[in-house]
Amino acid sequence: MPTAEQAIRCVILCQSLTNTFTPIFVVRLDERTGNLFILAGDNIEIEIYPNGLWRFL
């Protein structure tokens, strides 16, 4: 299960992506690292850490 911080950040980022009509293809929790991964649009990859911080890959 994602942390509360990850879940909130994921919803915020997914809303921002869909506001620009960017399709979201994958939202996945990496059980090895505990990070959430979002794959969207043509070339957007986002990683969300358990503390809610995130980065583009």
Side-chain angles (χ1 to χ4, degrees):
M1 291 294 294
T3 65
E5 292 86 0
Q6 278 177 313
I8 291 168
R9 182 63 59 195
C10 184
V11 169
I12 291 168
L13 290 171
C14 287
Q15 180 182 6
S16 295
L17 288 166
T18 58
N19 282 345
T20 61
F21 300 102
T22 303
I24 298 169
F25 299 114
V26 175
V27 176
R28 175 88 171 116
L29 178 64
D30 184 343
E31 295 175 358
R32 298 172 298 140
T33 63
N35 297 336
L36 271 176
F37 176 78
I38 300 172
L39 177 63
D42 292 330
N43 210 10
I44 300 172
E45 297 178 4
I46 299 173
E47 186 174 34
I48 307 172
Y49 301 107
N51 61 5
L53 297 177
W54 63 279
R55 70 179 180 127
F56 288 109
L57 298 176

